[in-house]
Amino acid sequence: MLNFSVVIILSLILISKNLILLNEETLILLCFVTFCWLGFTKLKDSFHADFETQRKEIEIKFSESFEAIVNSLLANLKWQKLFPILITNFSILEKQFANLGSKMITQVPAIQNQEFQKTYLRKLSFAKRLEEQTSKVISLVLAKKIEKITFLKYFYSTKIRITAFQCNYKIALREYIETI
């Protein structure tokens, strides 16, 4: 590398002879070159260490992925060797399923009949519960309506004194007295 004092003396000579002009651009260039030179000389060891650790990490990752690929290929070869055996096993399994299916088909009508009976009984019990609940609700609604009607009839005959209601009240009272 060049000696720093030689570079400074050479620059001063060039500036004094007006070969290099000192303006903003030249000063910015000088600062940039100085910054790059100082950064390179002072930080090259830390950059080298960082790059070296990154290189080692990448190398480890490549080796791990290579091992994973090799293991995958070995497993694939193992399955390819087992494949003929699996084909024969699957053909035997297919025959067993065919036998099971034919036996089940013969029993399906009986099972279906039982299922229809169960669902029909469930539907009938649901209809019965629904009918009971509906009759309870209707009787409660009717009782509430009759209670409101009697209250309103009493209110109109006693508080408001509408003659038509007073007449009905007197007729009902006479009928009640006659039954006693």
Side-chain angles (χ1 to χ4, degrees):
M1 292 205 343
L2 295 174
N3 194 353
F4 192 65
S5 58
V6 173
V7 171
I8 291 177
I9 293 173
L10 184 63
S11 324
L12 289 174
I13 293 173
L14 290 175
I15 292 171
S16 66
K17 298 294 182 182
N18 286 334
L19 292 175
I20 296 178
L21 296 176
L22 276 181
N23 57 12
E24 296 91 16
E25 295 160 355
T26 310
L27 290 176
I28 291 173
L29 177 66
L30 182 64
C31 288
F32 179 72
V33 169
T34 307
F35 172 76
C36 289
W37 180 73
L38 286 174
F40 177 74
T41 57
K42 300 293 181 188
L43 299 175
K44 69 179 178 181
D45 295 332
S46 64
F47 280 143
H48 180 70
D50 287 341
F51 286 144
E52 192 65 29
T53 57
Q54 287 180 6
R55 184 189 63 81
K56 287 179 183 176
E57 288 175 3
I58 291 171
E59 184 178 344
I60 290 170
K61 288 179 183 177
F62 275 141
S63 64
E64 287 174 355
S65 67
F66 181 72
E67 288 174 8
I69 289 172
V70 167
N71 290 336
S72 173
L73 288 174
L74 290 175
N76 194 4
L77 285 172
K78 180 177 133 184
W79 280 110
Q80 285 180 0
K81 289 178 183 175
L82 289 175
F83 192 67
I85 298 169
L86 289 175
I87 289 175
T88 57
N89 288 344
F90 277 123
S91 63
I92 294 170
L93 185 63
E94 178 187 11
K95 290 176 186 175
Q96 292 294 329
F97 274 128
N99 290 338
L100 179 67
S102 64
K103 289 180 182 179
M104 285 182 63
I105 286 174
T106 58
Q107 302 223 353
V108 164
I111 294 171
Q112 246 180 352
N113 195 9
Q114 290 175 354
E115 289 297 320
F116 285 141
Q117 287 176 357
K118 287 179 184 176
T119 57
Y120 186 69
L121 286 175
R122 274 190 253 135
K123 288 179 181 178
L124 281 177
S125 65
F126 175 72
K128 183 180 178 183
R129 285 195 316 265
L130 186 64
E131 182 181 352
E132 290 172 356
Q133 291 173 356
T134 306
S135 63
K136 287 179 185 177
V137 168
I138 289 174
S139 63
L140 285 174
V141 168
L142 285 175
K144 287 289 184 182
K145 290 288 183 180
I146 291 172
E147 182 183 352
K148 283 183 183 179
I149 290 171
T150 55
F151 177 73
L152 286 174
K153 193 173 182 183
Y154 174 76
F155 178 75
Y156 286 141
S157 63
T158 58
K159 301 291 183 187
I160 299 180
R161 298 184 194 272
I162 298 176
T163 56
F165 285 109
Q166 286 178 348
C167 181
N168 285 340
Y169 178 67
K170 290 177 184 176
I171 292 171
L173 188 59
R174 276 189 220 142
E175 289 176 353
Y176 180 68
I177 290 173
E178 285 178 7
T179 57
I180 294 177

